[in-house]
Amino acid sequence: MKEPWLLAFSGGPDSTGLAALLRHRSIVLGYVDHRMRGAAAIRRERADVRRIATALQLPLLRGRAPDGIAGETDARAARYAVLEAMVRKHGLRGILLAHTADDRAETVLLQLERGCGLRGLAALRRRTRVHDIARVRPALAVRRATLHEAAAPFAPGRDLSNRATTAARRRRRPHHLPTRGRGVNEQLPRVARAAGH
């Protein structure tokens, strides 16, 4: 039997939805405390994570980022470092990430606005390998709303780590993509897939 995958888990609607969809597969939840928020917010998030993992009947691994994180880039690097350490320590297959078709569309749009080339348009590949550990995004063809629907019965918390995005991405998320037409969210991920071939 193959070893399980580690699903990067925050207790928010995206990662909870993916965990709900994959809960009958061989997965382990991996939660990273970024130590960037107040004590009350951290306690709520930890409680949500434990509650949801119990409801999903999935094993949970927990880790903490080091002190001194200052900003989104540091937080992302620290999160991956902790997740990679979990994979190595427990002999897991790799890391599953809850990026959706909407995340891919947002990333392509940001890359276009930055004047990227073809390589930059190959946003959020389904499978990559970093530091000799696989990172897989199984929900890249799934809309964010679908994950949120799957998460709803488990009452996910606010995904604070996902909301701590750059100002540019925040502008993409609530306003720009919807007003550009319904088809944009479908077409931009296709651009990313085509550029990746």
Side-chain angles (χ1 to χ4, degrees), residues 42-63:
I42 291 172
R43 284 196 298 271
R44 284 195 301 272
E45 186 174 85
R46 288 175 180 168
D48 283 337
V49 165
R50 289 193 299 268
R51 172 181 56 77
I52 296 167
T54 299
L56 289 167
Q57 298 183 319
L58 289 172
L60 173 67
L61 300 176
R62 291 177 289 181

Side-chain angles (χ1 to χ4, degrees), residues 103-113 116 120-123 188-189 191-192:
D103 293 307
R104 205 176 207 182
E106 291 163 3
T107 302
V108 170
L109 190 55
L110 281 171
Q111 294 287 60
L112 285 170
E113 291 183 350
C116 73
L121 291 179
L188 289 176
V191 171

Side-chain angles (χ1 to χ4, degrees), residues 10 34 36-37 45 69-76 79 158-170 173:
S10 68
H34 294 85
M36 294 177 67
R37 300 183 288 280
E45 186 174 85
I69 294 176
E72 179 192 357
T73 301
D74 284 354
R76 184 185 301 111
R79 177 168 65 252
R158 291 180 61 217
D159 194 342
L160 297 175
S161 63
N162 192 44
R163 289 172 183 267
T165 53
T166 63
R169 185 174 289 272
R170 282 199 301 269
R173 186 163 289 178

Side-chain angles (χ1 to χ4, degrees), residues 74-120:
D74 284 354
R76 184 185 301 111
R79 177 168 65 252
Y80 278 123
V82 174
L83 293 171
E84 289 169 1
M86 290 177 180
V87 168
R88 293 190 180 97
K89 180 178 180 179
H90 297 278
L92 305 175
R93 293 180 66 187
I95 302 169
L96 299 180
L97 302 165
H99 293 126
T100 65
D102 298 84
D103 293 307
R104 205 176 207 182
E106 291 163 3
T107 302
V108 170
L109 190 55
L110 281 171
Q111 294 287 60
L112 285 170
E113 291 183 350
R114 290 168 180 163
C116 73
L118 187 62
R119 183 176 180 181

